[in-house]
Amino acid sequence: RNGNGSSAFSNVASVTPPAPPVPDVEPPSTPTALRATTVTFNRIDLTWAPSSDNTGIVGYRIYVDGMLTASATDPRFTIGGVQPDTRYLIEVSAGDSSDNESGRSSGITVDTPSRPSVSESLIAHWTLDETSGDTVSETTGNFVGTTRGMPQWQPDAGRFGGALQFSGGEDAVDIGPLDVIGNGLTLAAWVRPISFADGANEGRIISKASGTLEQQHVWMLSLFENGTALRLRLSTNDGGTTTLLSAEGVVPLGQWTHVAATYDGVQIRLYVDGDEVSSLAKSGDITVDATVSVSLGNQPDGVDPKGLNGELDDVYIFDRAFDTEEIIALRDGAQLDQDPNDSVAPLPPANLRL
């Protein structure tokens, strides 16, 4: 304090404001070594060498025929839904957190092959047209089944021809080991539920499983919820088993319904009477396990039963994903040796029943 009792002023401090941040305007390096590792009629798998950046790479942009088509966080990507017999020009660029984009990579030209015919893609087809006995024929001759329990043949009651009626419980058709190799799959069948009681609301249509838990299924198509929903489970080497559900009410009691599930290495999809009703992203090769068996109408023998109470007809397995047009053709009873590029003529509707 001074002599007057007041405080002396302190020296005024000089404050220098911080310099504004320097904006990042440096783009990442251009991706190199772009190549297609797998090319099928409906997908292209890509890899490339990672880019570098002073602040870090946050993602990549994929251009197809000059148009921005997709983005990826890692230097690999699968383009799904491409067309057969088509040429594509593909380029990739990198981006950083400041939205700087590199130049595009050297483009590569990719030619997709023709779509395999339906008959070439067939793994198994159980017509279920027998009239008696415990042997269940299969059209390729490779996966003949044997009935378990007491399912009943219905020679004149199928959607096309005969059908096999299951009463829940232990009723099943045991196929034995059956694996689908690669990243394509179609499961399809006609089903007519008779009852959803006593656990039949989860009745299996076809199942490759070692138990009832999700991760114990390799692939499985079943009813679910109150029995009127459709469910797919699929295991791959990228993420294990994934479950896909439809809404309730798509599989009515006492009525023939065509159901199908597909996987193309990018998406799993469910179809009911030819209409896509649900889908989910999924990748990887389908799990292969020769120790896990396949059964129709139930879980495999030795696994807690999840029996169907109803009828099955024309159960199919294919090693590629069918598109909607092919699912509809399958629903309508198209002949398997028909050229898929031709218009599909259904079989005559003999013994057709609702």
Side-chain angles (χ1 to χ4, degrees), residues 17-263:
V22 177
D24 175 26
V25 295
E26 181 179 341
S29 64
T30 300
T32 59
L34 174 64
R35 65 190 184 99
T37 57
T38 301
V39 180
T40 73
F41 74 99
N42 65 354
R43 59 175 284 172
I44 302 171
D45 292 347
L46 302 170
T47 63
W48 56 91
S51 295
S52 60
D53 184 70
N54 61 321
T55 61
I57 300 296
V58 297
Y60 298 89
R61 297 171 182 174
I62 295 90
Y63 294 84
V64 178
D65 294 336
M67 300 293 293
L68 178 60
T69 301
S71 61
T73 56
D74 298 313
R76 61 186 178 92
F77 189 74
T78 294
I79 304 174
V82 298
Q83 297 300 307
D85 296 312
T86 303
R87 173 167 290 184
Y88 294 97
L89 174 65
I90 302 173
E91 303 162 295
V92 175
S93 69
D96 63 17
S97 58
S98 298
D99 204 28
N100 296 309
E101 183 177 6
S102 74
R104 297 184 192 178
S105 67
S106 297
I108 61 170
T109 299
V110 179
D111 294 308
T112 56
S114 300
R115 180 175 61 182
S117 71
V118 175
S119 56
E120 289 173 333
S121 307
L122 178 68
I123 292 179
H125 174 206
W126 297 274
T127 63
L128 303 179
D129 287 339
E130 285 80 2
T131 59
S132 63
D134 58 6
T135 298
V136 181
S137 64
E138 190 276 311
T139 57
T140 72
N142 297 321
F143 301 105
V144 175
T146 303
T147 60
R148 169 166 42 103
M150 297 186 65
Q152 301 296 309
W153 294 108
Q154 304 294 328
D156 299 314
R159 189 66 170 87
F160 293 104
L164 185 58
Q165 180 175 326
F166 303 82
S167 60
E170 295 287 344
D171 283 4
V173 174
D174 292 325
I175 307 301
L178 189 166
D179 280 307
V180 180
I181 309 298
N183 49 31
L185 174 69
T186 295
L187 305 174
W190 282 98
V191 60
R192 190 175 79 89
I194 295 174
S195 172
F196 297 137
D198 300 323
N201 62 307
E202 294 190 29
R204 271 34 174 184
I205 296 167
I206 184 167
S207 180
K208 178 180 174 70
S210 60
T212 57
L213 300 178
E214 179 183 51
Q215 296 300 318
Q216 293 175 311
H217 289 81
V218 178
W219 35 263
M220 177 271 285
L221 185 62
S222 79
L223 307 179
F224 195 58
E225 300 293 358
N226 61 4
T228 66
L230 191 63
R231 174 173 61 174
L232 169 67
R233 280 179 169 168
L234 177 68
S235 174
T236 69
N237 63 359
D238 184 6
T241 301
T242 299
T243 298
L244 175 64
L245 299 174
S246 76
E248 295 184 9
V250 299
V251 186
L253 194 68
Q255 179 176 319
W256 281 110
T257 301
H258 188 261
V259 297
T262 67
Y263 173 58

